[in-house]
Coordinates of all heavy atoms in Angstrom, one line a residue:
S1409 N 0.8 -1.1 0.1 CA 0.0 0.0 0.0 C 0.9 1.2 0.0 O 2.1 1.1 0.2 CB -1.0 0.1 1.2 OG -0.2 0.2 2.4
G1410 N 0.3 2.3 -0.2 CA 1.0 3.6 -0.1 C 1.3 4.2 -1.5 O 1.7 5.4 -1.5
G1411 N 0.9 3.6 -2.6 CA 1.1 4.2 -3.9 C 0.2 5.3 -4.0 O -0.8 5.5 -3.5
G1412 N 0.5 6.4 -4.9 CA -0.4 7.3 -5.3 C 0.4 8.4 -6.2 O 1.2 8.1 -6.8
L1413 N -0.3 9.6 -6.2 CA 0.3 10.7 -7.1 C 1.5 11.3 -6.4 O 1.3 11.7 -5.1 CB -0.7 11.7 -7.6 CG -1.9 11.0 -8.4 CD1 -2.9 12.2 -8.6 CD2 -1.4 10.7 -9.7
V1414 N 2.5 11.6 -7.0 CA 3.6 12.3 -6.4 C 4.3 13.2 -7.6 O 4.5 12.7 -8.7 CB 4.6 11.3 -5.8 CG1 5.1 10.4 -6.8 CG2 5.7 12.1 -5.1
H1415 N 4.7 14.4 -7.1 CA 5.4 15.2 -8.1 C 6.7 14.7 -8.4 O 7.4 14.0 -7.5 CB 5.6 16.7 -7.3 CG 4.5 17.6 -7.6 ND1 4.2 18.1 -8.8 CD2 3.6 18.1 -6.7 CE1 3.2 18.9 -8.9 NE2 2.8 18.9 -7.6
A1416 N 7.3 14.9 -9.6 CA 8.7 14.6 -9.9 C 9.6 15.3 -8.9 O 9.3 16.5 -8.6 CB 9.1 14.9 -11.2
G1417 N 10.4 14.6 -8.3 CA 11.3 15.2 -7.3 C 10.7 15.1 -5.8 O 11.4 15.4 -4.8
G1418 N 9.5 14.5 -5.7 CA 8.9 14.3 -4.4 C 9.1 13.0 -3.7 O 10.0 12.3 -4.3
A1419 N 8.5 12.8 -2.7 CA 8.8 11.5 -1.8 C 7.4 10.8 -1.7 O 6.4 11.3 -1.6 CB 9.4 12.0 -0.5
L1420 N 7.7 9.5 -1.5 CA 6.6 8.7 -1.3 C 7.1 7.4 -0.3 O 8.2 7.0 -0.6 CB 6.0 8.1 -2.5 CG 4.6 7.6 -2.6 CD1 3.5 8.6 -2.1 CD2 4.2 7.1 -4.0
R1421 N 6.2 6.9 0.5 CA 6.6 5.7 1.3 C 5.5 4.6 0.9 O 4.4 4.8 1.1 CB 6.7 5.9 2.8 CG 7.2 4.8 3.6 CD 7.3 5.0 5.0 NE 5.8 4.9 5.6 CZ 5.8 4.9 7.0 NH1 6.9 5.0 7.8 NH2 4.6 4.9 7.5
L1422 N 6.1 3.5 0.4 CA 5.3 2.3 0.3 C 5.5 1.4 1.5 O 6.4 1.2 2.0 CB 5.7 1.5 -0.9 CG 5.7 2.5 -2.2 CD1 6.1 1.6 -3.5 CD2 4.3 3.1 -2.5
S1423 N 4.3 0.6 1.7 CA 4.4 -0.4 2.8 C 4.2 -1.8 2.2 O 3.3 -1.9 1.3 CB 3.3 -0.2 3.8 OG 3.4 1.1 4.5
C1424 N 4.8 -2.9 2.8 CA 4.5 -4.2 2.5 C 4.3 -4.9 3.8 O 5.3 -5.0 4.6 CB 5.8 -4.7 1.8 SG 5.7 -6.5 1.4
V1425 N 3.1 -5.2 4.1 CA 2.7 -5.8 5.5 C 2.6 -7.4 5.1 O 2.0 -7.8 4.2 CB 1.5 -5.3 5.8 CG1 1.0 -6.0 7.1 CG2 1.5 -3.9 6.0
G1426 N 3.3 -8.1 6.1 CA 3.3 -9.5 5.9 C 2.1 -10.1 6.9 O 1.9 -9.6 8.0
S1427 N 1.7 -11.3 6.6 CA 0.6 -11.9 7.5 C 1.0 -13.4 7.3 O 1.5 -13.9 6.2 CB -0.8 -11.6 7.2 OG -1.1 -11.9 5.9
G1428 N 0.7 -14.2 8.2 CA 0.9 -15.6 8.1 C 2.2 -16.1 8.5 O 2.4 -17.2 8.8
D1429 N 3.2 -15.2 8.7 CA 4.4 -15.6 9.2 C 5.3 -14.3 9.5 O 4.8 -13.1 9.1 CB 5.3 -16.4 8.0 CG 6.5 -17.2 8.6 OD1 6.7 -17.0 9.8 OD2 7.1 -17.9 7.8
T1430 N 6.3 -14.5 10.3 CA 7.1 -13.3 10.6 C 8.0 -12.8 9.5 O 8.8 -13.6 9.2 CB 7.9 -13.5 11.9 OG1 8.7 -14.6 11.8 CG2 7.0 -13.6 13.1
L1431 N 7.9 -11.5 9.0 CA 8.5 -11.1 7.8 C 10.1 -10.9 8.2 O 10.9 -11.0 7.2 CB 8.0 -9.8 7.4 CG 8.1 -9.5 5.9 CD1 7.5 -10.5 5.0 CD2 7.3 -8.1 5.7
D1432 N 10.5 -10.8 9.4 CA 11.9 -10.7 9.6 C 12.7 -12.0 9.3 O 14.0 -11.9 9.3 CB 12.2 -10.1 11.0 CG 11.8 -11.1 12.1 OD1 11.2 -12.2 11.7 OD2 12.1 -10.8 13.3
Q1433 N 12.2 -13.1 9.1 CA 12.8 -14.2 8.7 C 13.0 -14.4 7.2 O 13.6 -15.3 6.9 CB 12.1 -15.5 9.2 CG 11.9 -15.5 10.8 CD 13.2 -15.6 11.5 OE1 14.2 -16.4 11.1 NE2 13.3 -14.8 12.6
W1434 N 12.5 -13.5 6.5 CA 12.3 -13.6 5.0 C 13.2 -12.4 4.4 O 13.3 -11.4 4.9 CB 10.9 -13.3 4.5 CG 10.0 -14.5 5.0 CD1 9.6 -14.9 6.3 CD2 9.5 -15.6 4.1 NE1 8.7 -15.9 6.2 CE2 8.6 -16.3 4.9 CE3 9.5 -15.8 2.7 CZ2 7.9 -17.5 4.4 CZ3 8.7 -16.8 2.2 CH2 8.0 -17.6 3.1
S1435 N 13.9 -12.8 3.3 CA 14.4 -11.8 2.4 C 13.2 -11.1 1.6 O 12.3 -11.7 1.1 CB 15.3 -12.5 1.4 OG 16.4 -13.2 2.0
V1436 N 13.3 -9.9 1.6 CA 12.3 -9.0 1.0 C 12.9 -8.1 -0.1 O 13.7 -7.4 0.2 CB 11.5 -8.2 2.0 CG1 10.4 -7.3 1.3 CG2 10.8 -9.0 3.0
G1437 N 12.2 -8.1 -1.2 CA 12.8 -7.3 -2.4 C 11.6 -6.4 -2.8 O 10.4 -6.7 -2.7
W1438 N 11.9 -5.3 -3.5 CA 11.0 -4.5 -4.2 C 11.3 -4.4 -5.7 O 12.3 -4.4 -6.2 CB 11.1 -3.0 -3.7 CG 10.4 -2.8 -2.2 CD1 11.1 -3.0 -1.0 CD2 9.1 -2.7 -2.0 NE1 10.2 -2.8 -0.1 CE2 9.1 -2.5 -0.6 CE3 8.0 -2.5 -2.8 CZ2 7.8 -2.3 0.1 CZ3 6.8 -2.2 -2.2 CH2 6.7 -2.2 -0.8
F1439 N 10.1 -4.4 -6.4 CA 10.3 -4.6 -7.8 C 9.2 -3.4 -8.4 O 8.3 -3.1 -7.6 CB 9.8 -5.8 -8.4 CG 10.7 -7.0 -8.1 CD1 10.8 -7.5 -6.9 CD2 11.6 -7.6 -9.1 CE1 11.7 -8.5 -6.5 CE2 12.4 -8.4 -8.7 CZ 12.6 -9.0 -7.4
R1440 N 9.4 -3.0 -9.6 CA 8.4 -2.2 -10.1 C 8.3 -2.4 -11.7 O 9.2 -3.1 -12.3 CB 9.0 -0.7 -10.1 CG 10.3 -0.5 -10.8 CD 10.7 1.1 -10.4 NE 12.0 1.3 -11.0 CZ 12.7 2.4 -10.7 NH1 12.2 3.3 -9.8 NH2 13.9 2.6 -11.2
Q1441 N 7.1 -2.2 -12.1 CA 6.9 -2.4 -13.6 C 6.1 -1.3 -14.2 O 4.9 -0.9 -13.8 CB 6.1 -3.8 -13.7 CG 5.9 -4.3 -15.1 CD 5.3 -5.7 -15.1 OE1 4.6 -6.1 -14.1 NE2 5.5 -6.4 -16.2
A1442 N 6.6 -0.8 -15.3 CA 6.0 0.2 -16.2 C 5.0 -0.5 -17.1 O 5.3 -1.6 -17.6 CB 6.9 1.2 -16.8
P1443 N 3.8 0.2 -17.5 CA 3.1 -0.5 -18.4 C 3.8 -0.9 -19.8 O 4.6 -0.1 -20.3 CB 2.0 0.6 -18.9 CG 1.9 1.5 -17.6 CD 3.4 1.4 -17.2
G1444 N 3.6 -2.1 -20.2 CA 4.2 -2.7 -21.4 C 5.8 -2.9 -21.2 O 6.4 -3.3 -22.3
K1445 N 6.3 -2.9 -20.0 CA 7.7 -3.1 -19.8 C 8.0 -4.4 -18.9 O 6.9 -4.8 -18.2 CB 8.4 -1.9 -19.3 CG 8.3 -0.7 -20.3 CD 9.6 0.1 -20.3 CE 9.4 1.2 -21.3 NZ 10.4 2.2 -21.1
E1446 N 9.0 -4.7 -19.0 CA 9.6 -6.0 -18.0 C 9.5 -5.5 -16.5 O 9.8 -4.3 -16.2 CB 11.0 -6.3 -18.3 CG 11.1 -7.0 -19.7 CD 10.6 -8.4 -19.7 OE1 10.9 -9.1 -18.7 OE2 10.1 -9.0 -20.7
R1447 N 9.3 -6.2 -15.6 CA 9.4 -6.0 -14.2 C 10.9 -5.8 -13.8 O 11.8 -6.6 -14.3 CB 8.8 -7.1 -13.4 CG 8.7 -6.9 -11.9 CD 8.0 -8.1 -11.3 NE 8.5 -9.4 -11.6 CZ 7.9 -10.4 -11.5 NH1 6.6 -10.5 -10.9 NH2 8.5 -11.6 -11.9
E1448 N 11.2 -4.9 -13.1 CA 12.5 -4.5 -12.6 C 12.7 -4.5 -11.2 O 11.9 -3.9 -10.4 CB 12.8 -3.0 -13.1 CG 14.1 -2.4 -12.8 CD 14.2 -1.0 -12.8 OE1 13.1 -0.3 -13.1 OE2 15.3 -0.4 -12.5
G1449 N 13.6 -5.2 -10.9 CA 13.9 -5.4 -9.4 C 15.1 -4.4 -9.0 O 16.0 -4.3 -9.8
F1450 N 15.0 -3.6 -8.0 CA 16.0 -2.6 -7.7 C 16.3 -2.7 -6.2 O 17.3 -1.9 -5.9 CB 15.3 -1.4 -8.1 CG 14.0 -1.0 -7.3 CD1 14.1 -0.4 -6.1 CD2 12.8 -1.3 -8.0 CE1 12.9 -0.2 -5.5 CE2 11.7 -1.0 -7.4 CZ 11.7 -0.3 -6.1
S1451 N 15.8 -3.3 -5.3 CA 16.3 -3.3 -4.0 C 15.8 -4.6 -3.1 O 14.9 -5.1 -3.5 CB 15.9 -2.1 -3.2 OG 14.5 -2.0 -3.0
Y1452 N 16.6 -4.9 -2.1 CA 16.1 -6.0 -1.2 C 16.8 -5.8 0.1 O 17.9 -5.2 0.4 CB 16.5 -7.4 -1.8 CG 17.8 -8.0 -1.7 CD1 18.0 -9.0 -0.8 CD2 19.0 -7.5 -2.2 CE1 19.2 -9.6 -0.4 CE2 20.1 -8.0 -1.9 CZ 20.2 -9.1 -1.1 OH 21.5 -9.7 -0.8

């Protein structure tokens, strides 16, 4: 959650909430995908 409209040069915070298990035991990565493009991984 947390996506929305933001100005170029602005800031935004996204959240990834885990359920069913404790997330601190897991590797977590963030990916993004533009329309018509390949999904891109950029952090973990």
